[in-house]
Amino acid sequence: GILLIDQHAAHERVLYEQALEDIRRGRSASQQLLFPVVLELSLTERAVINSGVQYFTAFGFEISDFGGNALSVSAIPAFLKNGAIEDTIRGIIKYLLEGKDPELFLEPEKRFAAAFACGAAIKAGQKLSQEEMNALLNSLFSTKNPYICPHGRPTLVRMSVEELSRRFLR
């Protein structure tokens, strides 16, 4: 048969479970930035960050006030690429402001973990090397629930040889 993997949903599952573990432990592995990234935020966006600064810290971010509505990011989660810092943080903020899936994430730590997983996950269609694909699959199948993302979407679809044969009218 064939196994089709949704790389975004799979990475979301991995990051979600890791984020919950990081919250329990209090801190994730992070990397210091040589030059901090400064983000200019709206008052609402700034309030979102302030309301969950302990979660951002647990995920591996070091965020501090930079004056006005600006924040300085001086450390990021170890796996995150430098070019993805602003997109990831803004993705987390957007997720939280949109209030996605409130019935699934009643507890703040689960809501922030889901927002982090969604914002930091590999994007659909993003090209991965063979090593990155293998690492994602190994990480996915070491999670507690590898078959669905935190929002309940499937991470993978399996098609048997019989089903493939039927689809090709054999």
Side-chain angles (χ1 to χ4, degrees):
I2 189 170
L3 194 63
L4 303 169
I5 309 282
D6 178 332
Q7 65 188 24
H8 178 74
H11 200 213
E12 263 190 320
R13 169 50 63 184
V14 170
L15 292 178
Y16 177 72
E17 289 191 16
Q18 183 61 52
L20 289 176
E21 183 61 30
D22 292 341
I23 290 169
R24 280 191 277 283
R25 281 197 331 250
R27 181 80 179 175
S28 176
S30 65
Q31 58 183 343
Q32 289 293 129
L33 299 175
L34 187 56
F35 301 104
V37 173
V38 176
L39 300 175
E40 195 65 44
L41 304 172
S42 71
L43 284 173
T44 305
E45 292 170 328
R46 181 73 192 262
V48 169
I49 297 276
N50 290 343
S51 73
V53 73
Q54 73 272 25
Y55 299 117
F56 282 92
T57 301
F59 303 148
F61 290 101
E62 278 184 23
I63 299 174
S64 57
D65 185 39
F66 198 71
N69 286 329
L71 293 175
S72 173
V73 181
S74 56
I76 58 175
F79 73 90
L80 199 62
K81 293 185 169 82
N82 280 356
I85 299 168
E86 185 169 354
D87 287 343
T88 299
I89 291 175
R90 289 193 185 280
I92 294 168
I93 292 168
K94 181 180 179 207
Y95 182 100
L96 293 166
L97 286 174
E98 289 175 354
K100 292 185 178 180
D101 304 312
E103 66 283 352
L104 291 178
F105 307 112
L106 297 175
E107 300 145 47
E109 59 272 0
K110 289 184 178 179
R111 191 171 57 254
F112 274 90
F116 171 72
C118 190
I122 295 165
K123 304 305 176 222
Q126 181 179 333
K127 292 194 184 295
L128 302 178
S129 68
Q130 189 64 49
E131 293 81 23
E132 290 170 321
M133 288 183 234
N134 291 339
L136 178 57
L137 287 177
N138 289 336
S139 297
L140 176 64
F141 288 112
S142 68
T143 63
K144 293 176 186 159
N145 189 355
Y147 303 107
I148 59 169
C149 79
H151 310 96
R153 292 186 306 271
T155 58
L156 56 93
V157 174
R158 181 181 179 278
M159 292 179 75
S160 68
V161 172
E162 295 78 23
E163 185 177 351
L164 287 169
S165 292
R166 274 195 314 275
R167 292 197 179 235
F168 285 106
L169 305 175
R170 299 203 182 262

